[in-house]
Amino acid sequence: QVQLVESGGGLVQAGASLILSCETSGITFHYYHWGWFRQAPGKEREFVAAISWKNGENSETYYADSAKGRFTISRENGKKMAYLRMNSLKTEDTAVYYCAADKNFTAIRINPTYWGQGTQVTVSS
């Protein structure tokens, strides 16, 4: 059974940083691309960032315009963990953040196969 479990969300003030983690099981982690999505209240879920299956410097990353320069996606194949470091958080970053996995690097940015349950991030002004 594939399980993706996010953690690290919380309530922070604007300008703060958070690191979201995605712990995985039941999946061959290094065969997959990994991504993060978010869904704000009253809005559709949107892509945030993705990282290709390769580890370390060979990984390819892709970011939504809203995340570029502030968010960093990373992965640790040995630990089967994916991360999203978020700096300079803004109130508009408030959302439920979801970890996702797919073997296709296009699909990971559009409609991944596997999803976590999400972790709430709330940014106050």
Side-chain angles (χ1 to χ4, degrees), residues 53-75:
W53 66 272
K54 293 181 180 180
N55 203 19
E57 296 181 355
N58 293 324
S59 294
E60 179 182 354
T61 56
Y62 192 85
Y63 295 94
D65 287 343
S66 60
K68 288 178 182 177
R70 298 189 301 127
F71 295 3
T72 302
I73 188 171
S74 61
R75 59 187 294 160

Side-chain angles (χ1 to χ4, degrees), residues 2-6 22-24 27 34 99-101 114-117:
V2 177
Q3 285 192 314
L4 281 63
V5 180
E6 302 92 338
C22 178
E23 185 174 359
T24 71
I27 193 170
W34 292 86
C99 175
Y114 298 109
W115 293 89
Q117 294 300 307

Side-chain angles (χ1 to χ4, degrees), residues 10 16 19 24 38 41 43 62 79 109:
I19 299 176
T24 71
R38 67 185 183 186
K43 295 186 178 181
Y62 192 85
K79 293 184 177 180
R109 292 172 281 173

Side-chain angles (χ1 to χ4, degrees), residues 82-97:
Y83 306 95
L84 183 70
R85 180 175 181 83
M86 304 185 293
N87 294 331
S88 303
L89 283 162
K90 305 175 181 179
T91 55
E92 52 263 45
D93 293 319
T94 295
V96 177
Y97 283 72

